[in-house]
Amino acid sequence: MTVNVALPVGIALLVIGLQFTTRPVRWQNWIWVVLCVARGFVPPGPSRATAAGIGLLVVSLIASAIFGVLRGRTMPMWRGQDGLVYRRGGGVTLLLWLATVATRLALGALGQAVFAEPFALDALWLGLGVTLAAQQLVMTHRATRLPHPAPRRDRPAPAR
């Protein structure tokens, strides 16, 4: 396996694996989005400049965004006693990630078989960034709507 394939697969596995650990919903999660999207546009770019190449790229990015929204809507989230919002993926999250990957690979295979478009690793980087961005947008919005915990009453109320 070459570095060109091992690196994106390794990073994708890391990013997906982090979905199943309890982590706060915070702005730093956008770093992965920026890195993946930027990498997706490194030459030669995410697709050839043909009608089929651009069309397949657009369809695959729309699919990535849809799966990101679905994961963002179904990801279990809660507000901790510290006031931070936490998330941790479960079974539905796993199924949606598997569907995301399967759809992206199927569209890549379709592009090769029907339109003779080469399989572009840059399109996978870009798709990962788009799907994470959509997921993060939805979770950030949901986080603002979660109720804050009731104040803790560790000490008895002062006597009057």
Side-chain angles (χ1 to χ4, degrees):
M1 189 179 288
T2 68
V3 172
N4 288 338
V5 174
L7 185 61
V9 168
I11 289 176
L13 289 174
L14 172 67
V15 170
I16 293 170
L18 290 174
Q19 302 280 304
F20 300 97
T21 61
T22 301
R23 300 178 60 83
V25 176
R26 55 193 180 154
W27 70 267
Q28 288 93 337
N29 296 339
W30 286 99
I31 292 170
W32 286 112
V33 172
V34 171
L35 290 174
C36 289
V37 169
R39 177 56 185 92
F41 283 111
V42 169
S47 73
R48 290 192 315 177
T50 63
I54 293 169
L56 283 166
L57 178 64
V58 169
V59 169
S60 67
L61 293 177
I62 290 170
S64 292
I66 289 169
F67 283 117
V69 168
L70 291 173
R71 281 192 320 276
R73 291 179 57 131
T74 60
M75 178 86 65
M77 294 173 56
W78 65 95
R79 189 174 298 278
Q81 288 296 323
D82 57 3
L84 295 175
V85 175
Y86 292 90
R87 56 99 176 132
R88 181 179 180 166
V92 173
T93 309
L94 177 61
L95 291 176
L96 288 169
W97 269 113
L98 291 173
T100 303
V101 171
T103 301
R104 296 286 309 193
L105 292 176
L107 287 169
L110 175 73
Q112 278 187 321
V114 176
F115 302 107
E117 287 295 323
F119 190 80
L121 280 175
D122 291 340
L124 292 178
W125 281 108
L126 185 58
L128 182 60
V130 167
T131 198
L132 289 172
Q135 177 181 319
Q136 187 67 18
L137 278 172
V138 171
M139 289 191 318
T140 301
H141 176 71
R142 283 180 58 207
T144 63
R145 303 171 84 190
L146 287 175
H148 287 273
R152 292 181 52 179
R153 302 194 112 203
D154 292 340
R155 297 183 206 121
R160 293 186 184 214

